[in-house]
Amino acid sequence: MKFSEQWLRTWVNPEVSREELVARLSMVGLEVDAVEAVAGSFSGVVVGEVVSTEPHPDADKLRVCQVSNGRETFQVVCGAPNVRSGLKVPFAQVGAVLPGDFKIKKAKLRGVESHGMLCSEAELKISDDHGGLMELADNAPAGQDLRAYLGLDDVSIEIGLTPNRGDCLSIAGLAREVGAIYGASVCEPAIGQNPVATDDLRPVEVSAPHACPRYLGRVLRDVDVSRLTPLWMVERLRRSGIRSIDAVVDITNYVMLELGQPLHAFDLKQIEGGIRVRMATEGESLVLLDGQKVSLRPDTLVIADHRRPLAIAGIMGGEDSGIAADTKDLFLECAFFDPIALAGKARSYGLHTDASHRYERGVDPELARRAMERATELLLDVVGGAAGPVVEVASEAHLPKPAPITLRGERIDQMLGLEMDRAQVESMLASLGFGVSECAEDSWQVDVPSHRFDVTLEVDLIEELGRLYGYDKLPTRYPQARLAPESSQEAQADLAALRQVLVDRGYQEAITYSFIDPKLFELFTPGVAPLELANPISADMSAMRASLWPGLVKALQYNLNRQQARVRLFEAGLRFVGQL
């Protein structure tokens, strides 16, 4: 998860330094992998307005521009292909210093004086885009310092999350954690119900409720997809590692980053009839948004209309139903897909998307309605249009329902090694969204919020308390045990002793994978059904070994192929046997 520090601090802003915040995130289990400046180091660059342009008298590819900084007008020679009158651009004035300690001076280009430089994103180390000048919004105030205008005194923080913490794949989730760490208030954007201005809708059928327990859809009429995405949104996306595409796609990506709920928008005119959420049928194919054509398997959940599949559910949409320049009406979808149903599906098609990354780890099953309203609000603000009613299909029987957990004070003290204040216990859990109520003396009943699908046991709650209290503050105690020597059995050999004997005889211990190719399994254990992994790393590592021989033989083959004439290997390990 990559995000902007400034964006996070609009949600929650503890009075701590950047260094302290980064260190504390790592200490609570949200390990920070990288902290990078969102732009290079530069000064003296302001918002400039190109007042006029004319051809250079001695160079076909250069233009002589008159550029205003809001107070004065300067002559600047520029060779960018997109320079034009009325354009707002970064203007490095004489005396400015660009990244790499490059100082701007008055110069002559082919005999024409140039008082400054118009800049691309690459020249300011904002991105690698050097195809033309960086275009700013039409309402950008000429003369304002560019760093202040774009908020470039910011960093992108990248967090390496463990697979169980899908709730932190959003600004909302991270803000909740930071608020709990520092006891700071979290300011969420107000999300209300958008007015319904049209009765248009598309019927929705869900024939695979086990894989899609909740699906929401909404029609938006008369949108203008030619409108530009607001600069503040483009910047937040860029600093989170997502490239701006168009206003509709940008808004769905923005809500995904903000709340953690993936969404997708279809071109309404490409949908025939209604929406059907179903498993793919044999022989169906789909051309994806990236141009790749895939043959769908029957175990793949798809979003389809009454004629054809439109998208691989939770992974990627189809090219034919995507947003185009002539799109006038949208169908906005938002769903909860079961993580098990989607596990490994993206990888099996050679894909990995931001949506699949979240769905495979788990998305809050109660989040879809809020995300739909948030995305609708932003779409109406940016591309206009009229919103229809939300169509929702939900299967309560298949939606996850977290069971309450009994938490004992005695167990907390035993596992953490200290007596924690009971009011502090309640405060910590409540700050993470848990519902806490006393059910007996020195024990609580804890209701798990829908976004914490990884918490199912009492020890999980105690781990949360330990995280927030601070692993570095927990007392260190040495384990105590009564030990008695065991009598030696001459009829039995200790495994460590056997290992030493083999090493003494010139053997080397090998440790091979426990999961192997099913073809190797059949060769070495014919007639035995292997234990197969539900979510294997790859197709040739999908069966659990019933013998140590396959791994040793592969290791032997590897060494012989590299001219190792004398290979002596042994291994001690587990084998996995199902029903013989």
Side-chain angles (χ1 to χ4, degrees):
M1 174 67 185
K2 190 176 182 181
F3 63 94
S4 155
E5 181 195 5
Q6 284 184 0
W7 190 6
L8 177 65
R9 286 187 182 271
T10 63
W11 280 65
V12 58
N13 192 14
E15 295 181 358
V16 297
S17 67
R18 177 180 298 159
E19 292 73 19
E20 158 66 16
L21 177 63
V22 166
R24 197 78 175 95
L25 285 173
S26 292
M27 284 303 297
V28 297
L30 309 178
E31 184 177 359
V32 175
D33 291 338
V35 179
E36 299 175 348
V38 301
S41 176
F42 62 84
S43 61
V45 181
V46 300
V47 176
E49 180 178 2
V50 180
V51 178
S52 64
T53 67
E54 59 183 38
H56 190 288
D58 295 321
D60 293 340
K61 294 185 178 180
L62 296 179
R63 307 283 293 177
V64 179
C65 308
Q66 300 300 319
V67 181
S68 170
N69 67 356
R71 298 180 302 277
E72 301 178 69
T73 300
F74 301 87
Q75 179 173 284
V76 178
V77 178
C78 178
N82 62 330
V83 66
R84 61 188 183 273
S85 298
L87 184 66
K88 296 287 185 68
V89 293
F91 175 34
Q93 303 176 106
V94 173
V97 180
L98 299 188
D101 199 29
F102 179 70
K103 297 178 181 178
I104 301 298
K105 301 176 182 178
K106 185 170 68 172
K108 277 190 177 182
L109 280 77
R110 293 288 191 96
V112 177
E113 285 192 350
S114 182
H115 299 263
M117 174 180 169
L118 305 183
C119 304
S120 69
E121 292 186 11
E123 287 161 338
L124 299 176
K125 300 295 183 185
I126 291 177
S127 77
D128 296 329
D129 184 4
H130 52 76
L133 300 177
M134 180 180 182
E135 299 192 14
L136 304 176
D138 291 340
N139 60 356
Q144 183 174 357
D145 182 79
L146 187 74
R147 297 195 73 89
Y149 173 64
L150 295 179
L152 295 179
D153 294 323
D154 186 18
V155 294
S156 289
I157 301 173
E158 187 168 0
I159 291 180
L161 293 170
T162 51
N164 65 310
R165 292 310 306 272
D167 62 298
C168 287
L169 287 169
S170 66
I171 293 294
L174 291 169
R176 184 168 47 237
E177 289 283 314
V178 173
I181 293 168
Y182 293 105
S185 58
V186 178
C187 302
E188 299 185 21
I191 302 175
Q193 190 167 350
N194 292 278
V196 175
T198 174
D199 294 332
D200 289 347
L201 54 82
R202 285 290 185 273
V204 174
E205 303 171 22
V206 179
S207 60
H210 65 285
C212 178
R214 171 167 281 142
Y215 186 92
L216 285 75
R218 162 175 265 168
V219 170
L220 285 94
R221 290 282 188 186
D222 302 320
V223 300
D224 182 1
V225 298
S226 66
R227 295 186 186 178
L228 298 178
T229 306
L231 180 63
W232 60 267
M233 185 179 292
V234 172
E235 277 297 295
R236 286 180 175 179
L237 290 173
R238 180 182 70 82
R239 298 175 196 188
S240 301
I242 294 181
R243 179 174 58 88
S244 174
I245 298 173
D246 61 57
V248 174
V249 176
D250 290 350
I251 287 169
T252 58
N253 283 334
Y254 181 83
V255 174
M256 177 185 68
L257 289 174
E258 182 182 60
L259 300 181
Q261 172 68 59
L263 302 98
H264 187 69
F266 297 100
D267 188 336
L268 186 64
K269 70 174 180 292
Q270 300 293 339
I271 299 177
E272 295 192 16
I275 293 292
R276 289 175 173 168
V277 185
R278 58 173 175 81
M279 307 307 291
T281 58
E282 197 71 47
E284 282 188 315
S285 63
L286 178 65
V287 179
L288 299 172
L289 283 170
D290 62 359
Q292 176 185 351
K293 184 177 181 180
V294 295
S295 298
L296 300 172
R297 300 188 305 273
D299 64 345
T300 301
L301 184 70
V302 297
I303 311 299
D305 61 11
H306 286 189
R307 184 173 66 91
R308 57 176 178 167
L310 304 173
I312 303 178
I315 299 175
M316 188 179 288
E319 184 178 60
D320 293 340
S321 60
I323 306 303
D326 62 346
T327 298
K328 297 296 182 185
D329 306 304
L330 306 176
F331 181 81
L332 183 65
E333 72 160 15
C334 185
F336 170 71
F337 299 116
D338 183 72
I340 300 300
L342 264 63
K345 291 295 185 298
R347 187 169 60 248
S348 70
Y349 287 104
L351 301 170
H352 182 270
T353 64
D354 291 315
S356 68
H357 186 78
R358 285 162 174 78
Y359 277 126
E360 288 180 347
R361 286 154 178 76
V363 171
D364 184 350
E366 302 299 326
L367 184 58
R369 170 68 75 161
R370 289 185 67 232
M372 174 65 79
E373 296 296 345
R374 176 62 167 161
T376 301
E377 176 189 14
L378 292 172
L379 285 167
L380 294 177
D381 287 345
V382 176
V383 298
V390 175
V391 177
E392 179 175 359
V393 177
S395 173
E396 294 295 332
H398 293 94
L399 284 169
K401 297 178 177 61
I405 302 171
T406 299
L407 177 63
R408 296 164 291 170
E410 179 184 8
R411 187 65 171 154
I412 297 171
D413 301 343
Q414 180 185 23
M415 295 200 70
L416 297 184
L418 79 161
E419 187 173 340
M420 185 172 284
D421 183 76
R422 297 323 187 216
Q424 188 180 18
V425 169
E426 296 177 10
S427 174
M428 284 181 174
L429 292 177
S431 68
L432 290 171
F434 292 89
V436 185
S437 58
E438 290 191 38
C439 60
E441 185 178 353
D442 201 30
S443 65
W444 301 268
Q445 177 176 295
V446 180
D447 295 320
V448 181
S450 56
H451 62 267
R452 288 308 302 270
F453 28 81
D454 61 313
V455 175
T456 58
L457 303 171
E458 184 182 33
V459 291
D460 296 332
L461 295 173
I462 297 173
E463 181 184 3
E464 295 301 301
L465 295 172
R467 285 195 315 115
L468 293 186
Y469 184 83
Y471 292 133
D472 53 333
K473 298 178 183 177
L474 295 176
T476 301
R477 295 181 181 178
Y478 293 102
Q480 296 180 351
R482 294 180 178 273
L483 302 177
E486 294 183 359
S487 59
S488 176
Q489 300 291 331
E490 293 185 0
Q492 296 179 349
D494 183 67
L495 181 58
L498 289 176
R499 282 193 175 103
Q500 190 59 52
V501 168
L502 289 168
V503 170
D504 291 343
R505 295 186 176 226
Y507 286 79
Q508 291 183 314
E509 184 172 8
I511 300 175
T512 64
Y513 284 110
S514 296
F515 21 89
I516 61 173
D517 191 331
K519 295 177 182 177
L520 273 180
F521 186 97
E522 176 63 25
L523 285 175
F524 285 90
T525 323
V528 177
L531 290 172
E532 295 188 353
L533 294 172
N535 188 17
I537 296 174
S538 62
D540 60 351
M541 301 181 80
S542 60
M544 301 300 293
R545 67 186 182 190
S547 166
L548 302 184
W549 280 112
L552 287 171
V553 168
K554 285 197 71 174
L556 172 64
Q557 182 185 37
Y558 182 90
N559 281 274
L560 292 177
N561 289 343
R562 284 155 180 78
Q563 291 78 47
Q564 299 298 314
R566 185 177 185 273
V567 183
R568 292 189 173 189
L569 300 173
F570 75 93
E571 181 174 8
L574 297 174
R575 64 193 190 104
F576 303 85
V577 182
Q579 295 181 350
L580 298 176

